[in-house]
Amino acid sequence: MTSLTLTRPPGLGGARIAELGDRARLCGLYDDQGAPLYDDLAAADGFEIRDIVGAVRAAGDGPVLDLAAGAGRFTLPLLATGREVTALDLSEDMLRLLRARLARAPRAVRERCTVVRGDMAAFDLGREFAHIVLGTTSLSLLDATGRAGLYRSVAAHLAPGGQFLLSVMERADDDVPTEVHARVKGASGTAYDLYEYWPAGSDHRYVTIAPSEPADGPVTVCVDEVGTMSIAAIETELAAAGLTVAGRRPLSGPGDRHRVQLLKAVAAR
Ligand SMILES: C[S@@+](CC[C@H](N)C(=O)[O-])C[C@H]1O[C@@H](n2cnc3c(N)ncnc32)[C@H](O)[C@@H]1O
């Protein structure tokens, strides 16, 4: 379900890999090599956390299912609201980081969390949730079959009156540059070069992340090829799956390269 390329991506990210030559060790963003690097960046990134936690608080009590939870960027703040949280992710490498984080949390918090290794495109947890969360625009990690399975699984797990909160992303417009390069700092203080290559009209974008000042020797470079689609098309798919969009909240600002929205979907009556 996850589309991943371990070949050299086009554009500046590919050029950086070519420059590193045989020192480059290509990996996925969420595998054993990539997970610690992704987590270093994610731990320094507060994007969406307040919006998701706020939307859960506003909708009332009840257990939360955090889909594609990764190392728990939303899981821990959701647990801090006092709710019971189930964190589901496909990558054992990401879940290992989450379990380590939970082990450092107070027992009363840890005991309210259930960690599940599973595929968000096909899960059966045998219970319902008042809130189901899929943040970080992780919907884009699924292909059409995977998304249909996700909507089916979500609808089967939503408690009566429950909400499905998902963040979604599209190009802000066709005039934005095909590629961008940004330097970003992880929680450890390590600087990374982040490259995105996304030609207008393409249904895929490439993300490449490499340490800005690598030590001598092999250099871990994360590469990912991620599907893209318009927010309108996602809403159409949700509706066809019996999930009505009952609210939209912009998460990006004017002038941003990506238009990001937090959608609230509920079961159609
Ligand atoms: C962009 S990360 C988001 C992680 C976390 N929510 C955060 O904000 O840091 C995407 C996550 O989706 C997970 N993932 C990818 N495909 C998945 C699938 N089919 N089912 C469940 N998790 C998946 C990856 O392992 C990764 O942890």
Side-chain angles (χ1 to χ4, degrees):
M1 293 303 164
T2 306
S3 75
L4 168 71
T5 176
L6 288 180
T7 55
R8 190 148 67 85
L12 294 171
R16 177 70 187 280
I17 291 166
E19 207 177 280
L20 286 166
D22 59 13
R23 291 176 64 206
R25 298 284 180 276
L26 301 196
C27 65
L29 267 179
Y30 316 118
D31 62 18
D32 59 336
Q33 297 292 307
L37 194 154
Y38 175 83
D39 185 47
D40 191 26
L41 283 171
D45 179 5
F47 189 64
E48 284 188 43
I49 295 177
R50 260 216 335 238
D51 303 273
I52 286 184
V53 172
V56 166
R57 276 189 198 280
D61 293 335
V64 185
L65 173 59
D66 182 13
L67 293 174
R73 205 166 67 88
F74 303 126
T75 313
L76 275 297
L78 286 166
L79 284 165
T81 68
R83 289 168 176 77
E84 200 194 317
V85 180
T86 298
L88 179 146
D89 200 281
L90 192 57
S91 162
E92 190 50 47
D93 299 301
M94 296 299 288
L95 291 178
R96 194 172 306 120
L97 296 169
L98 170 58
R99 288 194 191 97
R101 214 156 256 157
L102 287 168
R104 294 192 295 271
R107 186 174 173 176
V109 171
R110 193 166 63 233
E111 285 182 347
R112 275 188 283 104
C113 191
T114 306
V115 178
V116 178
R117 175 155 191 255
D119 186 348
M120 62 177 156
F123 59 92
D124 181 4
L125 303 177
R127 53 172 299 194
E128 293 181 334
F129 296 87
H131 317 270
I132 301 182
V133 169
L134 178 58
T136 329
T137 71
S138 297
L139 178 72
S140 60
L141 299 173
L142 298 177
D143 60 17
T145 310
R147 290 193 302 277
L150 167 78
Y151 306 143
R152 235 185 348 264
S153 304
V154 165
H157 288 77
L158 262 189
Q163 60 171 349
F164 175 34
L165 295 168
L166 74 162
S167 64
V168 291
M169 188 259 275
E170 64 187 6
R171 271 177 85 101
D173 60 53
D174 281 350
D175 296 336
V176 298
T178 293
E179 54 186 331
V180 285
H181 166 211
R183 190 158 281 197
V184 281
K185 249 195 186 149
S188 65
T190 305
Y192 300 93
D193 288 307
L194 196 152
Y195 307 90
E196 184 194 61
Y197 182 89
W198 186 357
S202 170
D203 63 358
H204 277 78
R205 64 189 179 101
Y206 295 87
V207 176
T208 307
I209 304 174
S212 302
E213 290 154 14
D216 291 344
V219 181
T220 300
V221 182
C222 298
V223 292
D224 207 3
E225 180 187 349
V226 190
T228 67
M229 61 193 291
S230 73
I231 294 175
I234 293 168
E235 292 200 20
T236 303
E237 283 189 354
L238 286 167
L243 293 164
T244 304
V245 175
R248 296 172 192 80
R249 185 187 167 88
L251 300 180
S252 51
D256 285 353
R257 173 175 172 79
H258 300 146
R259 183 178 299 117
V260 187
Q261 286 185 3
L262 183 63
L263 302 182
K264 169 183 170 165
V266 296
R269 287 164 196 234

